[in-house]
Amino acid sequence: MQLDELISMVSRLPPARQQEVIDFAAFLEQRYGDNSKTNQAEWTGKDFKTMSVEQAMRGIEDEPELYSDSDIRER
């Protein structure tokens, strides 16, 4: 019953907030899950950079536009 309720709640959220729920669930799984069942490989530099960029850009589509084309002085 709880899983169905959770799925229903998350499905009503905007996509950016759904991603936050997924990220939090992954955090909880990593922190409290059974680590003996998961095969965690070492992060490569490329993996870390990809994750870093994804985290930095998360939610940027929800931010308001600060500047328009009329603000450009030189082209």
Side-chain angles (χ1 to χ4, degrees), residues 36-66:
S36 64
K37 292 182 181 179
T38 60
N39 183 11
Q40 297 179 352
E42 292 293 318
W43 281 50
T44 64
K46 182 180 178 183
D47 292 338
F48 182 78
K49 287 178 185 177
T50 301
M51 184 275 306
S52 179
V53 169
E54 287 173 357
Q55 292 298 313
M57 300 302 287
R58 183 179 71 188
I60 199 167
E61 63 275 354
D62 297 333
E63 293 184 11
E65 293 289 329
L66 298 177

Side-chain angles (χ1 to χ4, degrees), residues 23-35 38 40 43:
D23 293 343
F24 184 66
F27 164 76
L28 290 176
E29 181 183 39
Q30 182 182 26
R31 186 164 188 183
Y32 301 111
D34 186 5
N35 289 336
T38 60
Q40 297 179 352
W43 281 50

